[in-house]
Every structure is written in C-alpha cells, then in structure tokens.
Amino acid sequence: MLDVIDVILTKYNYIIYMSLMTLGLYGMIGKSNLIKKLIGMSVFQYSIFLFYISIADVEGGIAPILVEREVTYTNPLPHVLILTAIVVAVSTLAVGLSLVIRIYREFGSVDENKILMRLKDD
Amino acid sequence: MIEELSNHLPILLIVSGLIGAFLTPLIGLIRRELCSFWASFITLIQFSISIFLFYQAVQVGRISYWLGGWEPPWGIEYAIDILNGFVLVVVSTICLSVAIYGRKSLLKEVPGKEIQLYTLYILLCTGMLGIIITGDVFNLYVFLEISSLAAYALVAVGDRNSLVASFNYMIMGTVSACFILLGIGYLYLMTGTLNMADLSRLLPPLYDRPAILIGLALLIVGLSIKTALFPLHTWLPDAYTHSPSAISALLSGTFTKVGIYVLMRFIFSIFGLEYFLRNTDIFTFLGWVASAGIIFGAIMAIAQDDFKRMLAYSSISQIGYIALGISLANNFALAGSLLHIFGHSLMKTGLFMVAGAVIYSKGIKRVSQLEGMGNVMPFTMGAFLIGALSMIGIPPTIGFVSKYLILLGAVENGEWVFAAVILFSSLLTAAYFWRVFEKVYFGENKKEEKAGKEAPLSMLLPTIILAILSLVGGFLAPMFIRVFELWIGGVILGGV
Amino acid sequence: MRETGRGIILRTNAKFMVPFILLWGLYVLTHGTSGPGGGFQAGVVLAAGFILYAVVFGLEDTQKIFPFKVVLVIASLGVSIYAWIGVFAIVCGGNFLEYGKIPLAHEAAESSKLGIEMVEIGIGLTVMAIMLSIFYTFVQRGD
Amino acid sequence: MIEAIKLAITVAFLLAGSFFLVTGSLGIVRFPDTYSRMHAAGKCDTLGVSLMLIGFIIYQGLDLVSVKLILIILFVFFTGPVAVNAIIRAAINSGHKMWTVEGWKEWKKERIESSEGLNDTSG
Amino acid sequence: MSIFEIFLYILLITTSIVLYRVIKGPSLFDRIVGINAIGTKTILMIVVISYVFERPSFLDIALLYAILNFIGSIVISIYIERGGVTE
Amino acid sequence: MEKRSFGGFSLLISFVVLYLFWILNSGRLELLYLSMGVICSFAIAYIFHEIFVPIKEPKAAFRTAFRFLLYIPWLFYQIILANLDVAKRVLHPAMPIDPQIIVFPSKLKSELSMTTLGNSITLTPGTITVDIDPDGTFYVHCIAREPAEFLLSEVPCEMATRVGYVFGELPRWKK
C-alpha cells in the first residue's frame, strides 16, 4: 500500500500525462463530432508537452530566463523543443479547423456519421 | 567560392527549399503559371545537390554539417552517409519528376490553386529531404511534421471525398507524430541527448532499461502509421484515391519511403542490431505483421475497381516487402529492402502517373472502363506495362532483383513461411495487374477511338523515364548492391 | 461605420485600444533578447490587434490596410529574412545561422545578439502574417 | 519598520482584492441567470484586480515595474466593462431569456418539465 | 515560502469555483462569462507568480494574457451575435 | 481645410502618447531601442492617428484630459460602493435581486462621452450598459431597482452630467 502511494507521489507527472493522453485518444476515436475529435487531438498533443516539461524539472529550479542572481535553472532544452512542438501543434490545429470548415461547407454537417452517409449517397 | 559553398551543401538543400516555398506566393503574384516552373526549378536544384551529396558520401564517407556552428551534442547536426544519400537521391528524383509531371495534371484537376499548391509542394519536398539528412532526432520530428502538414493540405485539394480522407489522415498522422515525439522523449529522458550519433553511443549500456523498450515501441508504432504498415494503414487508401493524381504519385513514391528510412535509421543506426538480437521478438513480430500486410494489400487490391485505389492497396502490400526485408536483417534482405525502396518509388510513382494521365485525357477512373486503352494511349500504357511487370517481379526489372534478394534473405534465415509469402504474393500481384492488362490490351474499345489521344509531353516524359529507369535499374542492380554493402557491412559488423 | 447606433462602446474602445495593442506587439517583437518576448508572441499579439480591428470595423477596412496579397508577401518576407541571414552567415565565412560571424558589431556576442533579434523580427512578421491569413480564410464566406 | 508597514498595507490590499474576487466567483455560481452572473463577473473582477495590483504597486514602490502594473490596471479597467458589454449584447440579441421574480414560478415549472433547463439557447 | 503564495492558492480556489460554472453551463453565455472571469484571474495569478519567483519580466506575459483574453471574449461574443465574425 | 491643420495635431499627440507608452514599457534608454521606438510608434501613429485622437481641437483635448483625471477618483469611489453592494447581494442568503432593463436619456452627444458613461455604468453598482442609441438613450440592465435609482432620479443623472462636463458638453454638476 505504501509503495503505491510512494509511486503516486513521486511519479504523478507520468500518471497525469497518461490519463490526459487516454482522454485525448478517447476524444479522437470515440466522438463522432469532428470538432470534438480535434479537441481530443489537442489534449493528446498537450499531454505529451506536459510530459516533456515535467522531465525538464530540476528540484527548486526556476524558468530558464537569465537573471543576475545565482539560481538553479530547469533544463532549458525541453522548453525549447516544446516551444517548437507547440507551434507545430497549433499549425496542425489550424489545418484541421480549416478542413472542418470546408467539410462543413461541402456536406453541411460536422458529424462523422452524417458525412459518411452523405458520401455513401453519392 | 564554389569550393566554400560546396561545404555548405547540406544546409543549402534545405534553405533553397525554404526560400523557394516562401517565394512562391511572390512568383505567383507576377504570373500564376510561373509557379509550376518555379517548383520544377527548385526541385531540380535539390536533385542536383542530392546527387552530389550522395556521390560525396560514397567517395569520402560520412558528411557532417553543424548548424549555427555549434558542436553536435548541443547543436543540430546534418549528417549524410550512404543510406541517407541513397534515399535522398530517390526522393529528390521523384520530387523532380512529379513537379514536371504535375504542371498539366494539377492544372486540369485542381484549377486556380497553383500558388497554395506549389508552396505546399516545395514545403513537402523540403520537409522530406530534411527528415532524411538530419542527424538530430527532434529536428527529424519537426521536419516530419512540416511535411505531414503539407501532405494533409495537399491531399485535401482533391475531390469532395478528399476532405474526409485528409481529415482522417490528419488524425492518424497526429497520433503517429505524438507517439514519435513521446518515443523521442523517452530516449532523451534516458540518455540526455538528441543527436543520433550520440544516442547510438550512449544507448548500449542502457539496453536493459524498460524505458528504452517503451521508447522503441512508441517509435515503431508511430512510424508504422506514417509508413502505412498493415494494421495501421487505414488512412492510406482514401488519401491516395481522392487526392489529385500528381499528389498521390508524390506521396506514394516518397512519403512512405521516408517513413521506412526513419525506421531503418532508428533500428540499425541508433539502437543497433545488437539490441534486436537480444530482443528477437521485435523482428519476429515485424516480420509477421509485414507478411500479413503483403497478403492483405494484394487481396484488397484484387477487389478494387477504382484504378488509383487498387494502386494504393498495392502500395500497402509493397511496403510490407520492405518491412519484411528489414525484419530479416541480413545482408541479402537489407540490400533487397533498400533496392525495393528505390524500385517501388519508381514503379509506383510511374503507375500513379499513368493513372493520372488516363484521368487527364479520358477522365477514366475505373479499371473496368480501361478497355482498349492499349491502342488509344500506346506510350502511357507501355509505361504501365513495364511498371506493372516490375511490380510483379518479372526479370530483368528492378522489382525482380529486389524481391529476389529479399527471398534469398528469407531463405538464408530459414524463414520458409516468409519465402512462401513472397512467392504467393507475387502471384496475387500478377492477378490484380492481369485484370488491367486484360482490359487494356485485349478489351474491346466500343467507341473505336484511334491512337493519338496521348497525354501531353510534359506528363508523358516523366512517366516514360520512370518506367525506363525501373527497367534499367534491374541491370544496374549489382552496382547499387555494391554501394549498399558498404553501409550494410558497417551495420551488421558494427552491431555484432 | 454602417451600424451607427449599435456597438458604440465597443467601437470607441477599440479605436483606443488597437494602436496600443499593436505598439505593444512591436515592443515585444523588438525586445526579444531582454525579456520573455520573441517572435512568436509578438506575431500573435500583432495579429490579435488586427483581428480586433477587423472584427469591430469590418473586414473591408482591415483589408484596406492589409490586403490578402500583402499578408502573403509579408509571410514570405519574414521567412526570407531568416533564410537570408543564415545564408549571409555562410557568405561571411561561418556556418548556417552562425550569427557571430556576421559583421554587425565589433564583438561576436554582440552581433550574435543582433542577428537573433533580426531573425526574431522575421519570425514575428511571418507568424503575424500566417495568423492573419488563417483568419481571413476562416472569415471569408464561400470560396 | 517601514518595510513591515508597507507589507501590511500590501497584504491588506491583497486581502481586500481577493475578497472581491471570491465574492465575484460566488456570485457567478450563485446567481440565477446569465445576466446577473455578468454583474458579479464584470464588477468584482475589475475591482479585485485593481485592488490587488495596487497592493503590489505599494509593495514595489515607484519604478518601471510598477508602471507596468499600472498599465495592467488601466488595461483591465478599460477592457473589462467592454468585454462584459459585448457578451451581454450578444446574449440579448440572440434572445437569451432573463430571470425575473415574476417569471420564477413559470421558470420552475418549465425546469421540471424539461430537464434541459431554461437558459439553453441554440448556441 | 513567500507570503504571496497564499494568494496564489486563493486565486486557484476562486478559479475552481468559476470553473464549476464553466463546466455546468447551462448556456453558452455562462461559459463565456466564466472563461472571461478565469482569464482575469489568470492575469492576477501570473502577476503573483512573478512576485513569488521575483521575475518582473513575467509582467509582460500578464499584459499579453490580458490582451488575448479581452480580444478572445470580444471575438467570441461578436461571433455569436452576428453568426459570423464580420458581416 | 481645417481638418488638415488639426490632422498634424492628432498625429503629434498620438505619436507622443504612443512613444511615452513605448518608453514606459521598454525602460531601456539605449539608442537602439529608443530609435526603434520612434520608428514603431510613428508608424502606428501614422496609420491610426485619425481614429486615435477623436477630439480635433488641441485646447479641448487638454481640458478633457485634465477633467478626466479628476473624474477617475470619483468613479473609483462609486465602484467600491457598487462592489460592496453586489457583494452584499451575493452573500445575502435570500439573494435580494430583481433583474430588469431600464431605459433613460442622457443628453450626451459624442460617441466618446457616451462610451465613457457606458463603461462607468457598467463598472458601478448593479448596472450593465446593454446598448446605446445614437441619440444618447441608454438601455441598462440592473440587478435590482434600488441600485439603479441614481440613474433614473433626474434627467440627466449625476453621472451623465459629470461625464458631459468632462467632455465639455454639459455644465458642471451641482448638488
């Protein structure tokens, strides 16, 4: 029992990112609304960013912006990487949203089942 | 000056693409038609740089370029060895030929969107070349996402269905990119470095750690989605069927191959063969999945009536061959895989070009309507014949050599099931192409159309060149294999 | 200025806010090396300012200041700044993006800082232009 | 000594600000309809933010940092009401129902009939 | 532990109170109001964090967040009002 | 003709204000940053000066700015009263509220003054401006009747008169 609590307390970042990831995956697969799929996709991506940020943490470290004082910084590299990855995520979201808009104009719905029915009708 | 510039060729490969992509809107403001020439020009530059880099890599050995002048473990490194350089040449060849081919084809299929289309096109090519030459795993992820984004957008410009296809592609692609990112994260967590050479140096002592295995599993799953390995292929048929023909030609010829390349890079260069010899299950699993994919793709291809959809399922089958070759991991099979990357790029791009040419001049999309095309479009169908024969594996084409090598590899490892799968699937391949031959050469053309309704020269020429290359490639295969052996020897000897 | 009666509060406030927001965006853009600013944030703020303007005063007015073509040109220009600075570093004898080799200032560190700021400006312009172009394409109805 | 007084004043301001923030949040939860929730949100937040930031200004003394804090106060002061106004206009123009004492009984009946609640608009 | 950290927790509590309204709804406007209120509290949180960590440069981020929060609320409400961002 | 001569004034004012804003934000007195500020704020001022400074007359503008500064403390006092009122209503167990919309004329003329009054009303006790008609009629949503009494007690009400005085449209408020 104590072991379990210990694991939860020390590895809680992994638990959080895993549960967020599962949530996102569920949104992507389980929802039929395309916008909700995109939201799930974003949650999925951001859970991984959280994982990266959490592995960069140093005990008592602060955000890696230079200051004059003598301090411990967290590892700056994952922050830089995640900045790039966030830009990528945002562009993916933009592409996805524009696709959804065009799908809506074309099919008059953002519901996957209805769209597939309309496709079948053709 | 020239001397100095030639040291910077790896980065110029990428920068020329970047500048080219973002100058396309400016070019398009002057004249829309110039965009396609501009794209051809940029891809031509990239093609020549790639050839030169490959030549250098063969002659001199590994080329390394430090971005911003920072030393590798800290800065981003671009590295080219033989594997790299070879895939570089393959991809840039396809990019160039599709750029030439696409001018007329895209104009007809998606009129009035040249500016966006060619910006994305150059971006896609640049992203793929970037994936290939980079020596930094995170940089690889970024380039992968750049090219994937361009690919989603390019798939979406096709017909009505392509929007849904592109959406599904995007969802799958994002999942795969996230898995890759997560895998990279685990590797970084364990080793503290992102440089490929550094990783391969630091990984061996950590072989027993479970985190490494998790990272590898995530990477393999992610890359399998990008390469459309069998159970994770679901995005591919729709995306290839509904996108414009030139785009499906490009994607089929290059993007999946790049994914395979990344897989090879991770398996053989970064993790090293030794890791897989300790955990042989991974290769066994990969082999079974690949052979299931080979059979599945071929059977599904037989069932299709849509020409492009048939080719798409055929792609799934052929990607299985390459993966099978990787999983066998001996001299013959690896050489066969590499050769099949080259061969399949040529053949499949050529076949998609044929499909596009038929759509261009006749508007025909279905196999059952192809009756008598052999007389109407003799050159196009000649190219189709060569490509299809090569796909089946009839000597002396390149497809024969690569399949034969993979078969030899299977025999050498004593994997008789895989050998049987290869032989059996060749029969299936012959079956689905025979259907087309039958229609094209022996079918009755009801309208009694005469010859001379060929596609324009700018579409015909790349098609024929690719077909001839896949024919000639069979004769040149020994030369290629000698080059591959330089790399394979390093991998296998270095590993064991 | 079609709906005279409605939205007076919003319009008058937007008139007042938009210049400040844009100027603040430029401030973030130019102080990238000394604060938490940088190209991306600045691009977003600038784009947000223009989006506010477009939302309140209508798309036509905004496209008078920033036509779609100009947006595309700015996006190209931004990336070109980045690429050409990198190429310029090659010409000056360094590696790609080795700002220290660019003769902008006496010391390598100083010119490296300047080089980074110029790249940041390029990134900011690109981000702003891309954001705006996304906004334009989303807002315009029908193709 | 002066430091301690400064800190005390700061904390007093901060407490006052957070008191208003908490009441604002409670109001958002407690009030029966969207419009009255906007009252809670718009006003209490603006004042709470201003008070807390004034506290920080006193703590900081007068320099460039506190100038920036003043800028934030001004910004919140100017934009808070505008945002609330924009939202309330959107709500009224899209026909959002209003809670009144007279309509209370009717509202309750409706709510029992359809568990969706009364304030569901098409949005 | 700095004394300002207490206020961080107070702000967190208020945020979670408002979050109830955002999740519960019941209408779209309740959610917008809630999100706007959460945004205001986030500005304050960033300011408090900048004092906890003694990093004055975080104030820029607070101002940035204020701008984006404002513009976000405006754009959403205008979108709902007119059925499109611009007419 | 007249417009042109005042155009220079609005450009100057907006440039000065924006440049001040820049310096306060930047806080770096190096030549590079100062000159960047000149360029940026001039560019912004040049594009937006016509809508940024709506008062075209220099004297009126300065007078307005001065009176506005005097108006703010009064407004702040009112806001605190307002908040205590709302807090009381929130924390009161019975929640004594009776939402309604009231309409009253304000006799204000310019958009700027109407906006100021609108924002002030939104900030003060239990009232939110919903809409303003071009003739100065205000539609106000109030949480109960009593806190809104001060708007309805006379025409124009105290707040409207004070705002009108700030913008030189109405005489000074006298009790």
Side-chain angles (χ1 to χ4, degrees):
Chain A
M1 191 59 210
L2 274 176
D3 288 356
V4 176
I5 294 171
D6 194 48
V7 165
I8 290 174
L9 284 181
T10 51
K11 300 257 159 74
Y12 63 94
N13 56 337
Y14 295 93
I15 294 168
I16 288 174
Y17 104 79
M18 274 296 179
S19 40
L20 275 177
M21 213 167 128
T22 324
L23 206 66
L25 206 59
Y26 166 71
M28 255 191 281
I29 294 165
K31 295 284 177 188
S32 67
N33 189 322
L34 297 186
I35 301 272
K36 285 183 181 165
K37 272 179 192 276
L38 283 182
I39 293 171
M41 190 184 89
S42 284
V43 172
F44 193 77
Q45 288 173 317
Y46 280 85
S47 70
I48 291 167
F49 303 161
L50 279 182
F51 164 70
Y52 263 79
I53 299 289
S54 71
I55 62 175
D57 186 44
V58 176
E59 192 74 38
I62 59 167
I65 304 170
L66 277 182
V67 291
E68 284 78 18
R69 290 175 288 134
E70 191 81 8
V71 285
T72 330
Y73 295 113
T74 55
N75 183 359
L77 187 61
H79 291 86
V80 178
L81 302 181
I82 286 314
L83 197 60
T84 322
I86 285 173
V87 173
V88 168
V90 169
S91 0
T92 317
L93 195 61
V95 171
L97 284 176
S98 62
L99 271 177
V100 170
I101 285 182
R102 284 183 55 200
I103 286 177
Y104 183 73
R105 281 179 194 156
E106 195 77 38
F107 297 95
S109 168
V110 289
D111 191 276
E112 203 182 24
N113 302 327
K114 280 183 192 159
I115 292 166
L116 289 180
M117 288 233 296
R118 296 222 172 118
L119 274 179
K120 227 171 245 173
D121 290 344
D122 295 347
Chain B
M1 189 65 203
I2 299 293
E3 178 84 8
E4 201 163 277
L5 218 57
S6 74
N7 291 332
H8 295 288
L9 279 181
I11 191 64
L12 287 180
L13 185 68
I14 304 301
V15 171
S16 65
L18 266 183
I19 295 179
F22 287 95
L23 283 185
T24 315
L26 297 186
I27 304 268
L29 285 184
I30 303 168
R31 270 182 79 91
R32 273 169 169 272
E33 294 79 41
L34 283 179
C35 285
S36 62
F37 292 108
W38 174 250
S40 311
F41 174 66
I42 294 290
T43 41
L44 181 65
I45 292 178
Q46 289 178 332
F47 175 68
S48 10
I49 294 178
S50 307
I51 295 271
F52 190 78
L53 283 175
F54 182 44
Y55 177 75
Q56 263 192 334
V58 172
Q59 293 292 320
V60 185
R62 192 167 182 275
I63 306 169
S64 169
Y65 186 85
W66 303 345
L67 211 65
W70 285 298
E71 247 179 282
W74 297 281
I76 293 171
E77 181 196 19
Y78 285 174
I80 294 127
D81 57 10
I82 288 170
L83 173 67
N84 261 351
F86 175 66
V87 183
L88 207 58
V89 171
V90 174
V91 168
S92 57
T93 313
I94 304 294
C95 289
L96 175 62
S97 51
V98 176
I100 295 167
Y101 171 86
R103 190 172 75 85
K104 283 273 169 63
S105 169
L106 287 176
L107 196 64
K108 175 133 180 178
E109 287 184 35
V110 272
K113 286 189 182 166
E114 287 93 344
I115 296 178
Q116 297 96 311
L117 216 57
Y118 283 105
T119 310
L120 291 169
Y121 184 90
I122 302 175
L123 215 54
L124 175 57
C125 296
T126 311
M128 287 189 298
L129 298 177
I131 297 171
I132 296 164
I133 69 169
T134 185
D136 181 282
V137 277
F138 194 82
N139 202 237
L140 185 144
Y141 163 78
V142 172
F143 276 123
L144 196 67
E145 276 297 84
I146 289 175
S147 43
S148 303
L149 282 172
Y152 309 146
L154 280 175
V155 168
V157 298
D159 57 11
R160 193 171 139 92
N161 300 23
S162 72
L163 293 172
V164 182
S166 167
F167 191 86
N168 287 335
Y169 183 17
M170 195 194 73
I171 294 283
M172 294 286 281
T174 310
V175 173
S176 99
C178 286
F179 278 155
I180 293 169
L181 184 59
L182 205 52
I184 291 170
Y186 271 102
L187 292 190
Y188 176 73
L189 183 62
M190 295 311 291
T191 60
T193 180
L194 291 167
N195 186 276
M196 285 182 186
D198 232 27
L199 273 174
S200 72
R201 198 167 50 76
L202 290 172
L203 274 177
L206 303 167
Y207 273 166
D208 299 328
R209 306 291 282 275
I212 296 288
L213 188 63
I214 296 173
L216 180 71
L218 289 166
L219 282 169
I220 287 185
V221 171
L223 288 168
S224 308
I225 296 176
K226 286 273 181 217
T227 50
L229 264 181
F230 161 55
L232 304 169
H233 66 277
T234 44
W235 58 268
L236 186 138
D238 279 340
Y240 281 10
T241 314
H242 299 298
S243 57
S245 316
I247 303 305
S248 10
L250 179 72
L251 287 179
S252 71
T254 53
F255 206 38
T256 47
K257 306 301 172 300
V258 170
I260 287 279
Y261 154 74
V262 178
L263 200 60
M264 286 175 100
R265 176 60 82 194
F266 269 108
I267 288 177
F268 295 113
S269 292
I270 294 178
F271 278 86
L273 207 52
E274 199 193 337
Y275 185 77
F276 296 90
L277 294 178
R278 284 192 195 183
N279 307 288
T280 41
D281 308 354
I282 299 173
F283 272 163
T284 319
F285 180 72
L286 193 63
W288 282 105
V289 165
S291 31
I294 294 173
I295 302 287
F296 170 83
I299 290 176
M300 287 303 283
I302 292 176
Q304 302 304 322
D305 190 31
D306 192 306
F307 195 15
K308 276 163 79 179
R309 207 176 182 81
M310 186 193 92
L311 293 177
Y313 273 111
S314 158
S315 268
I316 295 171
S317 167
Q318 303 293 323
I319 289 160
Y321 279 111
I322 305 174
L324 185 59
I326 292 174
S327 75
L328 292 168
N330 57 29
N331 263 332
F332 292 117
L334 277 183
S337 276
L338 278 172
L339 200 61
H340 204 67
I341 288 179
F342 183 43
H344 183 242
S345 291
L346 297 178
M347 302 180 282
K348 195 41 71 53
T349 309
L351 290 177
F352 268 112
M353 282 176 172
V354 169
V358 174
I359 291 173
Y360 180 86
S361 46
K362 289 275 181 283
I364 291 173
K365 287 184 177 173
R366 305 203 157 270
V367 174
S368 50
Q369 297 168 327
L370 283 172
E371 289 151 338
M373 277 298 150
N375 295 326
V376 182
M377 306 174 78
F379 288 108
T380 315
M381 286 305 153
F384 171 72
L385 183 65
I386 298 173
L389 287 181
S390 174
M391 195 74 85
I392 298 166
I394 307 283
T397 52
I398 191 165
F400 165 72
V401 184
S402 53
K403 282 190 188 181
Y404 180 67
L405 282 171
I406 297 173
L407 188 65
L408 276 185
V411 171
E412 190 181 275
N413 274 18
E415 303 277 8
W416 296 102
V417 183
F418 293 160
V421 164
I422 293 171
L423 290 174
F424 179 57
S425 79
S426 277
L427 283 180
L428 291 176
T429 314
Y432 63 75
F433 278 118
W434 177 254
R435 237 163 23 102
V436 188
F437 291 151
E438 198 183 5
K439 291 279 180 206
V440 168
Y441 286 108
F442 308 118
E444 288 290 311
N445 192 348
K446 286 159 207 149
K447 288 178 195 161
E448 291 295 324
E449 280 179 280
K450 288 282 162 262
K453 272 282 266 179
E454 280 284 2
L457 191 64
S458 72
M459 290 170 71
L460 198 56
L461 204 63
T463 320
I464 291 177
I465 287 178
L466 286 183
I468 291 174
L469 270 180
S470 61
L471 191 63
V472 174
F475 295 108
L476 295 181
M479 194 187 83
F480 284 123
I481 292 165
R482 219 171 306 132
V483 174
F484 297 152
E485 262 164 6
L486 291 176
W487 179 74
I488 294 166
V491 168
I492 293 195
L493 292 179
V496 179
Chain C
M1 305 277 162
R2 267 162 295 147
E3 336 170 66
T4 41
R6 299 152 63 75
I8 288 177
I9 293 186
L10 188 56
R11 213 170 51 235
T12 318
N13 265 287
K15 275 178 193 172
F16 198 63
M17 292 321 314
V18 167
F20 279 121
I21 291 175
L22 290 178
L23 187 66
W24 200 74
L26 288 174
Y27 153 72
V28 174
L29 183 63
T30 48
H31 288 66
T33 49
S34 58
F40 290 113
Q41 297 91 316
V44 171
V45 172
L46 287 173
F50 279 110
I51 286 172
L52 178 62
Y53 190 85
V55 161
V56 177
F57 298 103
L59 202 61
E60 296 96 41
D61 278 20
T62 321
Q63 289 194 332
K64 249 176 241 162
I65 301 177
F66 252 124
F68 196 70
K69 283 184 176 174
V70 173
V71 169
L72 283 184
V73 170
I74 287 179
S76 321
L77 203 75
V79 178
S80 305
I81 288 177
Y82 170 75
W84 285 121
I85 285 179
V87 173
F88 193 61
I90 292 182
V91 173
C92 295
N95 270 5
F96 184 72
L97 286 183
E98 197 171 350
Y99 311 107
K101 289 275 167 63
I102 302 174
L104 282 173
H106 298 299
E107 292 169 49
E110 192 70 16
S111 62
S112 160
K113 197 176 150 190
L114 281 173
I116 290 174
E117 290 228 332
M118 280 165 85
V119 168
E120 288 282 327
I121 288 173
I123 292 173
L125 288 178
T126 312
V127 170
M128 180 195 79
I130 298 285
M131 286 275 169
L132 267 184
S133 65
I134 290 173
F135 174 75
Y136 283 168
T137 33
F138 277 0
V139 163
Q140 277 161 352
R141 297 213 173 151
D143 285 315
Chain D
M1 186 59 203
I2 288 184
E3 283 299 309
I5 293 172
K6 219 176 176 182
L7 194 64
I9 296 173
T10 308
V11 171
F13 265 101
L14 291 181
L15 279 176
S18 38
F19 165 74
F20 282 115
L21 286 175
V22 170
T23 33
S25 318
L26 281 179
I28 290 177
V29 174
R30 269 196 83 192
F31 277 155
D33 79 333
T34 310
Y35 299 104
S36 33
R37 280 172 204 146
M38 281 173 200
H39 284 268
K43 271 167 274 245
C44 295
D45 277 10
T46 313
L47 188 71
V49 169
S50 314
L51 284 179
M52 283 186 91
L53 291 182
I54 287 171
F56 280 120
I57 291 171
I58 290 167
Y59 180 75
Q60 180 73 31
L62 201 68
D63 59 357
L64 276 170
V65 176
S66 58
V67 166
K68 221 158 251 179
L69 287 170
I70 291 172
L71 284 178
I72 297 177
I73 293 182
L74 283 179
F75 193 86
V76 171
F77 223 79
F78 276 108
T79 57
V82 182
V84 170
N85 174 257
I87 297 171
I88 202 170
R89 262 165 50 93
I92 282 188
N93 288 344
S94 55
H96 197 70
K97 261 196 213 157
M98 200 178 293
W99 188 90
T100 51
V101 176
E102 292 82 43
W104 168 254
K105 279 180 184 168
E106 211 177 320
W107 177 73
K108 215 167 182 181
K109 219 164 70 185
E110 255 179 63
R111 192 165 174 101
I112 292 165
E113 277 165 14
S114 64
S115 56
E116 288 283 292
L118 95 159
N119 290 331
D120 256 354
T121 56
S122 55
Chain E
M1 181 174 139
S2 160
I3 193 164
F4 298 127
E5 264 180 62
I6 300 165
F7 293 97
L8 213 52
Y9 293 117
I10 292 176
L11 285 170
L12 268 176
I13 291 166
T14 49
T15 309
S16 42
I17 293 173
V18 182
L19 198 63
Y20 166 78
R21 182 51 71 199
V22 175
I23 293 169
K24 182 81 190 314
S27 82
L28 192 57
F29 301 103
D30 293 304
R31 297 202 166 98
I32 299 172
V33 170
I35 286 171
N36 192 16
I38 287 180
T40 324
K41 286 167 184 75
T42 312
I43 300 164
L44 264 181
M45 255 191 250
I46 296 171
V47 173
V48 177
I49 284 173
S50 88
Y51 273 88
V52 171
F53 287 121
E54 297 172 33
R55 311 291 289 276
S57 54
F58 281 16
L59 292 180
D60 279 350
I61 304 174
L63 199 47
L64 190 144
Y65 197 84
I67 289 174
L68 292 184
N69 185 35
F70 167 62
I71 292 177
S73 307
I74 296 278
V75 170
I76 289 179
S77 50
I78 285 188
Y79 176 76
I80 291 164
E81 191 182 343
R82 302 183 192 163
V85 173
T86 52
E87 284 277 332
Chain F
M1 324 125 277
E2 266 193 356
K3 225 178 182 179
R4 186 164 296 168
S5 61
F6 292 128
F9 164 72
S10 65
L11 181 62
L12 184 71
I13 285 289
S14 43
F15 173 72
V16 168
V17 171
L18 289 172
Y19 194 50
L20 208 65
F21 178 75
W22 174 280
I23 290 177
L24 287 180
N25 255 317
S26 162
R28 309 188 81 194
L29 300 175
E30 295 156 35
L31 188 64
L32 178 68
Y33 293 103
L34 287 180
S35 50
M36 270 184 196
V38 171
I39 296 168
C40 293
S41 35
F42 186 79
I44 301 284
Y46 186 76
I47 300 176
F48 290 107
H49 69 91
E50 279 181 7
I51 64 167
F52 187 60
V53 183
I55 301 170
K56 296 281 184 279
E57 208 176 321
K59 218 172 147 191
F62 287 123
R63 196 184 60 210
T64 304
F66 178 68
R67 287 181 183 173
F68 190 71
L69 285 180
L70 291 181
Y71 171 71
I72 285 183
W74 180 80
L75 179 67
F76 207 78
Y77 175 64
Q78 292 293 317
I79 291 169
I80 291 175
L81 288 185
N83 275 283
L84 288 175
D85 182 77
V86 172
K88 195 183 78 195
R89 279 169 206 281
V90 171
L91 300 176
H92 198 287
M95 268 205 299
I97 65 170
D98 176 21
Q100 51 190 283
I101 287 188
I102 56 172
V103 184
F104 69 93
S106 70
K107 294 201 171 167
L108 293 176
K109 291 172 197 73
S110 69
E111 286 194 354
L112 201 59
S113 55
M114 283 190 242
T115 309
T116 313
L117 180 57
N119 274 356
S120 312
I121 288 174
T122 309
L123 286 169
T124 36
T127 46
I128 297 180
T129 315
V130 175
D131 212 343
I132 309 173
D133 274 352
D135 61 357
T137 311
F138 276 66
Y139 298 84
V140 173
H141 180 272
C142 54
I143 199 160
R145 189 77 183 181
E146 310 90 60
E149 274 311 322
F150 78 104
L151 293 172
L152 298 168
S153 52
E154 50 201 309
V155 177
C157 59
E158 179 182 356
M159 194 180 260
T161 323
R162 280 178 187 269
V163 171
Y165 175 67
V166 167
F167 291 95
E169 292 169 15
L170 293 172
R172 181 189 269 276
W173 168 258
K174 281 190 220 76
K175 188 70 199 172

